[in-house]
Amino acid sequence: MDFTNKTAVVTGGSRGIGLAIATKLAQGGANIAILYVGDESEGIKAKEELSQYGTKVEQYFCDVSDFEASQKVVEKVIEEFGGIDFLINNAGITRDKLILNMDEKDFDAVIGVNLKGTFNMIKHTYKHFMKKRFGRIVSTSSIVGLNGNAGQANYSASKAGIIGLTKSVAKELAGRGVTANAVAPGYIGTDMTNVLSDKVKDAMKAQIPAKRIGTPEDVANVVAFLCSDEASYVTGEVIRVDGGLAM
Ligand code: NDP
């Protein structure tokens, strides 16, 4: 897939699935702006890693749940890169607990980053894409956004919300050459899932028809397709990347 002269903003692009997406797009020739919120050294490391593909790469500190901060970063990227073509809403957090033990803060934090963060980034790039008459928005939902999951009410609600948000923006912008789609990963091996016990990991693996844990690259391949010219007639779609787990 050829992404020459395209610019992608990847939230949470310094590690895990986000870094795999940024890598895949850079390999195709895209310029990359990664947004990170944690350790600056991770952002610098990711920038160095991505720079090997010869495209422009920058990292920006930005908490996507912060409306003003995400607006400033979008404006800065547009100024420094000359525009944005792909918005990849990948940043996400978990605060897993049964509702019985889940307090308001656990709920608000997850909704704030996962759902409001996705809204913030879409809101701030919306006019830019409209004027450009081009844009690809790909947001990371989850199979638990489709099916729910005990112990993940906050996370599942945020990921289900992303699906509603995606379909709405897809309808609003389809006539402007802008597509909006979501990927719904199943169980992917990253820092987010490495915290699970071996017992839980083995139990989950046993349930996956493909009999393996997914890789960040499995997700990145689908995201890259959704950004490509070949996917110009695909919008408002949710694609599971789960080895058949949520079939
Ligand atoms: P990781 O925990 O490895 O990475 C999460 C990323 O999100 C990090 O890059 C982190 O930035 C970033 N992030 C977190 N909070 C913020 C914030 N407030 N502002 C900006 N960036 C933020 O997770 P994964 O790579 O596994 O997950 C990526 C996405 O995929 C998430 O949305 C997740 O919910 C989703 N997903 C993952 C699945 C899995 O099995 N792994 C399954 C289904 C969905 P930093 O590096 O700076 O801390």
Side-chain angles (χ1 to χ4, degrees), residues 182-233:
V183 285
Y187 177 16
I188 310 295
T190 65
D191 293 347
M192 188 176 269
T193 46
N194 284 344
V195 295
L196 301 170
S197 69
D198 286 344
K199 201 176 152 197
V200 172
K201 284 182 195 167
D202 288 344
M204 287 189 72
K205 201 168 142 187
Q207 288 172 32
I208 302 170
K211 294 290 171 224
R212 72 170 174 88
I213 291 164
T215 64
E217 291 71 28
D218 288 323
V219 182
N221 289 336
V222 177
V223 173
F225 166 69
L226 291 170
C227 289
S228 71
D229 289 344
E230 288 81 355
S232 64
Y233 204 56

Side-chain angles (χ1 to χ4, degrees), residues 20-243:
I21 294 168
T23 302
K24 184 80 187 172
L25 297 177
Q27 285 169 341
N31 300 315
I32 307 289
I34 52 176
L35 272 47
Y36 71 99
V37 78
D39 191 353
E40 192 188 359
S41 64
E42 287 278 340
I44 293 169
K45 211 170 82 191
K47 182 181 164 179
E48 281 170 7
E49 208 178 307
L50 292 165
S51 296
Q52 66 177 296
Y53 303 108
T55 64
K56 182 177 165 76
V57 182
E58 284 301 338
Q59 98 253 10
Y60 301 87
F61 181 88
C62 176
D63 177 352
V64 293
S65 69
D66 182 331
F67 189 80
E68 272 93 31
S70 44
Q71 180 169 19
K72 279 190 191 135
V73 159
V74 167
E75 286 168 0
K76 205 159 181 217
V77 173
I78 291 173
E79 191 189 314
E80 292 183 0
F81 284 75
I84 298 171
D85 300 282
F86 310 150
L87 169 62
I88 315 300
N89 292 305
N90 162 80
I93 59 167
T94 52
R95 296 277 187 280
D96 296 352
K97 280 168 197 169
L98 294 176
I99 293 174
L100 186 69
N101 301 318
M102 188 179 289
D103 62 29
E104 191 184 358
K105 275 190 190 146
D106 298 320
F107 190 82
D108 289 349
V110 171
I111 296 292
V113 174
N114 300 7
L115 181 55
K116 176 137 184 281
T118 301
F119 166 76
N120 288 344
M121 294 302 295
I122 290 174
K123 167 75 184 162
H124 299 317
T125 48
Y126 190 99
K127 273 194 197 153
H128 179 71
F129 287 149
M130 262 180 90
K131 282 192 201 144
K132 210 173 173 159
R133 293 195 157 269
F134 180 82
R136 295 276 192 268
I137 302 168
V138 185
S139 303
T140 313
S141 178
S142 164
I143 56 165
V144 304
L146 295 165
N147 291 356
N149 199 21
Q152 290 196 306
N154 48 0
Y155 184 77
S156 304
S158 74
K159 296 300 186 180
I162 285 173
I163 294 172
L165 179 57
T166 296
K167 291 186 177 186
S168 301
V169 71
K171 286 185 176 178
E172 289 182 21
L173 291 181
R176 297 271 181 163
V178 181
T179 67
N181 293 288
V183 285
Y187 177 16
I188 310 295
T190 65
D191 293 347
M192 188 176 269
T193 46
N194 284 344
V195 295
L196 301 170
S197 69
D198 286 344
K199 201 176 152 197
V200 172
K201 284 182 195 167
D202 288 344
M204 287 189 72
K205 201 168 142 187
Q207 288 172 32
I208 302 170
K211 294 290 171 224
R212 72 170 174 88
I213 291 164
T215 64
E217 291 71 28
D218 288 323
V219 182
N221 289 336
V222 177
V223 173
F225 166 69
L226 291 170
C227 289
S228 71
D229 289 344
E230 288 81 355
S232 64
Y233 204 56
V234 180
T235 196
E237 189 54 83
V238 183
I239 302 183
R240 286 186 298 105
V241 187
D242 66 349

